[in-house]
Amino acid sequence: QTVEHGFPHQPSALGYSPFLRLMAIGTRSGAIKLYGAPGVEFMGLHEENNTVMQIHFIPDQCQLVTLLDDNSLHLWSLKQHGGASELREEHRFTLKGPPGSPPSATQITAVLPHSSREVLYLGTESGNIFVVELPSFRVLEDRAIPSEAVLQRVPEDNCNRRSCELVEALREHPKNPDQILIGYSRGLIVLWDLQNNKATHHFLGSQQLENLYWQRDGSKFISCHYDGSYTQWPVSSDNRQPEPLENTVPYGPFPCKAISKIYWQTTKNGLPYIIFQGGMPRASYGDRHSISVIHGSQQTAFDFTSRVIDFFIIFSSEPTAEFDDPSAMVVLAEEELVVIDLKTAGWPAVHPPYLASLHCSAITCSHHVSNIPLKLWERIISAGSKQNIHYSSMPWPIDGGTNIAPDPPQRDLLLTGHEDGTVRFWDASGVCLHLLYKLSTVRVFLTDADPNDNMNTLGEDEWPPLRKVGTFDPYSDDPRLGIQKIYLCKYSGYLAVAGTAGQVLVMELNDEDAEHVVDHAEADLLQDQEGYRWKGHEKLKTRDGPVRFEAGFQPFVLVQCQPPAVVTSLALHSEWRLVAFGTSHGFGLFDHQQKRLVFVKCTLHPSDQLALEGPLSRVKSLKKSLRQSFRRIRRSRVSSRKRRGGGGNASEVQEANAKFDQDTLQEMELAPVQRKIEARSAEDSFTGFVRTLYFADTFLRDSSRHCPSLWAGTNGGTVYAFCLRVPPAERRMDEPVRAEQAKEIQLMHRAPVVGILVLDGRSTPLPEPLEVAHDLSKSPDMQGSHQLLVVSEEQFKVFTLPKVSSKLKLKLTALEGCRVRKVTVANFGSCKTDDYSENDLAVLTNLGDIQIISLPFLKLQIRYPCIRKEDVSGIASCVFTKYGQGFYLISPSEFERFSLSTKWLVEPRCIVDMPEVTSNNHVHNKSGVENAAKKS
């Protein structure tokens, strides 16, 4: 396993080092991830798997401290090893109180790494502040700041004992490291002198405190509060009791939500940036996740698509700089990372080069294409750039570290299909999974949503001035739009996508916007069957007349399967201009050049009742399903009583049993059935479900003439083979493509067929369509005899062609007790010489193991454990690449990438150099910072 792509699942904490220019994200499962310049990534995992509550970088060091929800502190370091940097856990520590003290006495609520880099100040629930030494985590009891000591130095008439409970914030004075600001939950704020161990100033807020922020020159600080207000406090050199300069409720006068964090950033033009989280009116906007930015007369409340975990501002960190001059705001929301450019008018978002929100709509399928030709790559990027015009052109602001990994050897695409009918094209060549282009199929259909609706439109006088940001949108206009299968031909630029309601769209790439009519064709897969009634969802309604499409992949034909069941398999042959599709009822072949249906084949068995219930018809109320379950139990008891009684009418018993069996069958869920490793009867449900489709130019009728063919494999262990007659190019538009069934193979064990492959005379898999024409593959050997490999869930079997006689088999389930879930041909190159490579089968089983099996002799080469067998969705989402790599979802938002090949390995390799620091802790050596910047 080499790298994780996407957005961390359930993020819980955020940290940033202006010194290293690195960002850290912690998760609820105890993971910690560091990000810098694109390609600079590190990952660590706490053994405890507890939630990461806070992350703090040690000033001017390659170190950071994490606080977990079990109250433990962990010190992590970036250390160089083998020419690259690694993230390692150095120490762990749990703060312990005196015997008999309650847990709250040492429950850490605030952490302050001091600029001396020698100590951490730890504020607790009890109001006491502990000091621990770095890196040993030794408690320095003589330097602790107990709440009693603070109370003694604050006038009694201003506070009581409860005023010093729960330390909410600790902030070091920006100009004087011997002073820290302590904020207590009930509103008391104290400026504490560390040298003389006394309070020099105290400030009394009337509201519950949420957070504190120092202004750059140390003359003022800002406190923000639970009632949605913030207050400016002056810090005078004398000991006069300070009065607040200004108390503001930005979205008052009605009750507002808490402002949980605030920044006050100075600028050259004199107008500060005031940036705060929360503060919205409770009644109308209490459910919004917002961060407001105010700069002079400009004010925007950025409205995020999910809960805001934390945020930080990137501003000038040079100690000699007079102003903050903020450049960007980085926001970690629960489901995505959003970066706002504060330098450009209108404050546009910045397109992130990593941490993509893969699950902005739930992923329903994936498809990987290796070694994309440069021309197609550039055209896809060009189409994507037209979609990104509203993004900022600002360079990525988090740019620490140096990526030293070699450049990717080829251009790879990962295509993900989504529930909302979109397909996203990702650059999967290197460590950063980067979005290139987004395709939407929605325009072809009529849905409830109007594509012209814009959520960002604001009226002139709208208040608060909300603006939606982010791409996370898990709600689909219609679940039938979901993409189930994708097939891209990288040589011709043809793309086929198929969906949940039996829709198959064939598209081609167009560099310009265009308006045209999408041709429609229907494929009735039940045409010669009687007595079947589809109980599932209806087909999607299509738009009449011309439809406007933006530059990129544009559909030119829609094939609608009837009944409109989920499309379960898809194959495209761009040289013959044919597309094949299969559902749970059968399969069909469509000529997309002549826009004509060639044939359909129904694969339904008379007992396939389940195939006529769509997945969306199963949304039942709990009451109804419980009621039906009780009825079934009662019915079965009645029938068994009658059977035992023996005197009952036999026909009545049979009728009751038949009704019970039928009801049970209709109520069965689509979950995989645990079954014995033995031949199954044709009565097993769902036998007609088409699992795989495959085009091949091979010997099907006799050994002297080869011809185009289409192969289909079903859930019942049946393989159908059709001979195709494709007219030559000069008569392609005049003569129809003809198809005739040539073979039907029934596997004795009737296990689902998951893969079909034809090997040529050299026992090499046949090349992809147009691969030979582009000189990227040798022509297949048509002299020697061809072989057919059929992979079922339980065994691999090789047949000779054209006779289809069994030659060789490897039983997997009978020997191993596992079943094949995914299979593909992978080319393994040697890492020592470019002259040698071999083709093998990469197989993923239901136990999460990956097995490499040789071709054509079916010998097991090696086995790796890869995915936990309990992770059913991870196994279902796995996709292999052509060169022995793979991807699978470890969460709804993250792909784990793995490699089976020693030659093709994509993993982060980066280095973080620590810029030099002068003896003065607060002034960085300028040349050191410049060197770091140059390296970045």
Side-chain angles (χ1 to χ4, degrees), residues 537-568:
H537 48 259
E538 292 180 4
K539 67 174 186 179
L540 284 157
K541 292 186 173 69
T542 52
R543 289 183 189 276
D544 296 326
V547 182
R548 182 151 194 83
F549 298 102
E550 52 188 29
F553 285 95
Q554 298 173 351
F556 61 89
V557 68
L558 164 68
V559 185
Q560 178 62 57
C561 300
Q562 286 290 13
V566 173
V567 176
T568 56

Side-chain angles (χ1 to χ4, degrees), residues 7-13 26-29 51 309 334-335 893-894:
F7 185 77
H9 185 49
Q10 296 182 322
S12 55
T27 71
R28 279 164 58 177
S29 58
T51 299
I309 304 296
E334 202 163 35
E335 305 291 356
S893 58
E894 288 171 293

Side-chain angles (χ1 to χ4, degrees), residues 457-658:
T457 49
L458 277 181
E460 289 275 320
D461 305 317
E462 185 157 336
W463 188 260
L466 287 162
R467 186 175 117 202
K468 267 261 188 262
V469 282
T471 57
F472 179 70
D473 182 13
Y475 307 107
S476 172
D477 298 333
D478 190 327
R480 295 174 297 172
L481 289 166
I483 305 295
Q484 297 295 333
K485 295 288 170 189
I486 306 169
Y487 196 104
L488 171 68
C489 173
K490 63 187 179 185
Y491 303 112
S492 64
Y494 281 115
L495 171 71
V497 296
T500 304
Q503 70 271 31
V504 180
L505 285 162
V506 187
M507 315 189 186
E508 58 187 339
L509 196 51
N510 188 346
D511 299 328
E512 301 299 330
D513 293 12
E515 190 169 358
H516 59 254
V517 174
V518 178
D519 289 297
H520 294 181
E522 286 226 339
D524 181 7
L525 296 168
L526 295 180
Q527 55 185 5
D528 53 351
Q529 301 285 331
E530 289 180 9
Y532 283 103
R533 188 171 61 83
W534 170 245
K535 301 173 189 173
H537 48 259
E538 292 180 4
K539 67 174 186 179
L540 284 157
K541 292 186 173 69
T542 52
R543 289 183 189 276
D544 296 326
V547 182
R548 182 151 194 83
F549 298 102
E550 52 188 29
F553 285 95
Q554 298 173 351
F556 61 89
V557 68
L558 164 68
V559 185
Q560 178 62 57
C561 300
Q562 286 290 13
V566 173
V567 176
T568 56
S569 51
L570 185 69
L572 177 76
H573 200 295
S574 44
E575 194 171 351
W576 302 337
R577 302 282 201 273
L578 298 173
V579 61
F581 47 88
T583 71
S584 48
H585 306 117
F587 60 96
L589 181 67
F590 186 79
D591 175 353
H592 64 77
Q593 184 160 352
Q594 289 189 15
K595 296 175 183 168
R596 174 185 159 272
L597 192 66
V598 179
F599 78 90
V600 290
K601 167 78 177 172
C602 180
T603 55
L604 267 186
H605 187 273
S607 68
D608 273 357
Q609 287 294 322
L610 273 179
L612 291 163
E613 290 198 21
L616 302 179
S617 70
R618 300 184 176 277
V619 185
K620 303 187 184 84
S621 69
L622 184 63
K623 276 185 182 175
K624 186 180 174 187
S625 54
L626 278 171
R627 193 163 57 240
Q628 287 170 338
S629 301
F630 281 121
R631 277 180 189 160
R632 282 208 311 276
I633 292 165
R634 205 178 302 131
R635 216 178 282 132
S636 65
R637 281 178 181 163
V638 167
S639 61
S640 60
R641 214 176 291 134
K642 282 182 179 173
R643 222 177 290 130
R644 277 201 304 274
N649 187 331
S651 66
E652 276 178 26
V653 175
Q654 282 177 345
E655 197 174 301
N657 286 346

Side-chain angles (χ1 to χ4, degrees), residues 716-731:
T718 309
V719 177
Y720 300 95
F722 280 75
C723 270
L724 307 178
R725 188 188 165 280
V726 181
E730 62 273 11
R731 299 198 303 277

Side-chain angles (χ1 to χ4, degrees), residues 15-318:
Y16 177 66
S17 168
F19 176 67
L20 299 173
R21 297 182 73 82
L22 294 178
M23 168 178 70
I25 294 176
T27 71
R28 279 164 58 177
S29 58
I32 177 167
K33 301 186 176 191
L34 269 62
Y35 299 91
V40 176
E41 293 185 15
F42 301 94
M43 184 183 162
L45 188 64
H46 295 89
E47 277 180 24
E48 296 81 359
N49 285 18
N50 285 51
T51 299
V52 180
M53 301 299 288
Q54 296 182 34
I55 301 172
H56 300 274
F57 281 88
I58 310 299
D60 306 343
Q61 294 287 302
C62 287
Q63 291 183 314
L64 63 151
V65 168
T66 54
L67 171 68
L68 304 191
D69 66 350
D70 64 356
N71 208 38
S72 62
L73 286 165
H74 301 254
L75 179 68
W76 297 81
S77 295
L78 282 168
K79 297 214 165 161
Q80 290 195 19
H81 176 74
S85 298
E86 290 180 356
L87 181 65
R88 293 182 188 170
E89 188 177 355
E90 300 282 322
H91 295 285
R92 64 187 65 189
F93 163 76
T94 303
L95 187 63
K96 290 186 172 63
S101 61
S104 64
T106 53
Q107 183 68 45
I108 300 168
T109 53
V111 179
L112 172 65
H114 195 261
S115 60
S116 64
R117 311 192 292 278
E118 293 168 0
V119 292
L120 285 179
Y121 289 87
L122 307 174
T124 62
E125 238 176 60
S126 61
N128 297 322
I129 296 166
F130 295 86
V131 186
V132 296
E133 191 177 51
L134 286 174
S136 64
F137 281 134
R138 184 169 64 90
V139 179
L140 304 174
E141 293 181 9
D142 56 322
R143 293 175 64 176
I145 309 171
S147 55
E148 293 81 10
V150 174
L151 275 172
Q152 286 168 15
R153 289 164 173 77
V154 176
E156 280 182 26
D157 54 340
N158 287 338
C159 63
N160 56 38
R161 167 150 187 77
R162 300 198 67 183
S163 300
C164 287
E165 282 181 1
L166 205 152
V167 178
E168 201 70 65
L170 292 170
R171 297 284 179 263
E172 185 180 333
H173 194 293
K175 299 295 183 188
N176 182 357
D178 292 332
Q179 289 186 332
I180 62 169
L181 203 55
I182 307 167
Y184 295 96
S185 176
R186 287 180 172 263
L188 174 67
I189 303 163
V190 173
L191 186 60
W192 189 263
D193 185 335
L194 298 171
Q195 289 285 59
N196 302 311
N197 224 19
K198 66 170 189 176
T200 61
H201 297 72
H202 68 277
F203 311 83
L204 282 169
S206 58
Q207 289 291 333
Q208 183 178 319
L209 180 74
E210 291 288 320
N211 221 320
L212 298 170
Y213 187 78
W214 276 109
Q215 287 193 22
R216 191 178 188 95
D217 60 2
S219 64
K220 299 192 228 19
F221 70 88
I222 320 294
S223 62
C224 55
H225 302 274
Y226 182 74
D227 67 340
S229 67
Y230 64 84
T231 307
Q232 279 194 76
W233 302 87
V235 180
S236 56
S237 52
D238 54 30
N239 287 339
R240 281 184 298 114
Q241 172 61 33
E243 289 295 321
L245 287 175
E246 183 188 3
N247 183 54
T248 310
V249 184
Y251 295 113
F254 300 108
C256 293
K257 291 194 77 176
I259 293 179
S260 54
K261 188 171 184 177
I262 191 162
Y263 280 83
W264 185 287
Q265 302 275 280
T266 57
T267 61
K268 290 187 185 74
N269 68 6
L271 291 170
Y273 277 85
I274 306 163
I275 302 166
F276 55 88
Q277 179 184 343
M280 283 279 139
R282 274 185 187 278
S284 312
Y285 300 95
D287 58 341
R288 300 299 178 98
H289 315 290
S290 71
I291 295 178
S292 298
V293 181
I294 304 170
H295 179 58
S297 60
Q298 283 179 276
Q299 180 165 350
T300 300
F302 292 100
D303 185 9
F304 295 89
T305 55
S306 54
R307 186 170 63 91
V308 173
I309 304 296
D310 200 356
F311 75 103
F312 61 84
I313 305 298
I314 296 177
F315 57 90
S316 173
S317 57
E318 282 291 325

Side-chain angles (χ1 to χ4, degrees), residues 377-399:
W377 187 262
E378 287 172 343
R379 291 178 72 190
I380 290 171
I381 288 175
S382 169
S385 64
K386 290 172 184 171
Q387 296 176 336
N388 293 337
I389 49 173
H390 57 282
Y391 279 106
S392 164
S393 57
M394 166 191 222
W396 184 242
I398 303 161
D399 55 5

Side-chain angles (χ1 to χ4, degrees), residues 715-827:
N715 226 34
T718 309
V719 177
Y720 300 95
F722 280 75
C723 270
L724 307 178
R725 188 188 165 280
V726 181
E730 62 273 11
R731 299 198 303 277
R732 183 65 179 81
M733 286 303 289
D734 306 324
E735 296 177 17
V737 174
R738 300 197 183 280
E740 187 183 345
Q741 186 168 335
K743 307 276 186 215
E744 184 175 330
I745 306 163
Q746 178 61 59
L747 301 178
M748 294 300 289
H749 60 298
R750 297 183 186 276
V753 177
V754 293
I756 297 171
L757 184 68
V758 171
L759 305 174
D760 71 4
R762 289 188 294 264
S763 299
T764 303
L766 294 182
E768 290 176 36
L770 297 174
E771 195 174 5
V772 175
H774 284 75
D775 296 327
L776 291 165
S777 172
K778 289 180 186 170
S779 295
D781 184 338
M782 292 300 190
Q783 305 306 315
S785 59
H786 284 198
Q787 299 171 80
L788 170 71
L789 170 65
V790 176
V791 182
S792 77
E793 276 192 358
E794 298 180 4
Q795 69 179 24
F796 301 79
K797 199 161 187 179
V798 175
F799 299 89
T800 58
L801 285 175
K803 286 186 177 177
V804 192
S805 54
S806 178
K807 182 179 177 184
L808 188 67
K809 70 178 166 189
L810 169 66
K811 288 185 177 178
L812 198 70
T813 309
L815 302 175
E816 310 283 342
C818 59
R819 299 199 294 277
V820 176
R821 282 283 174 261
K822 305 271 175 173
V823 62
T824 195
V825 175
N827 181 273

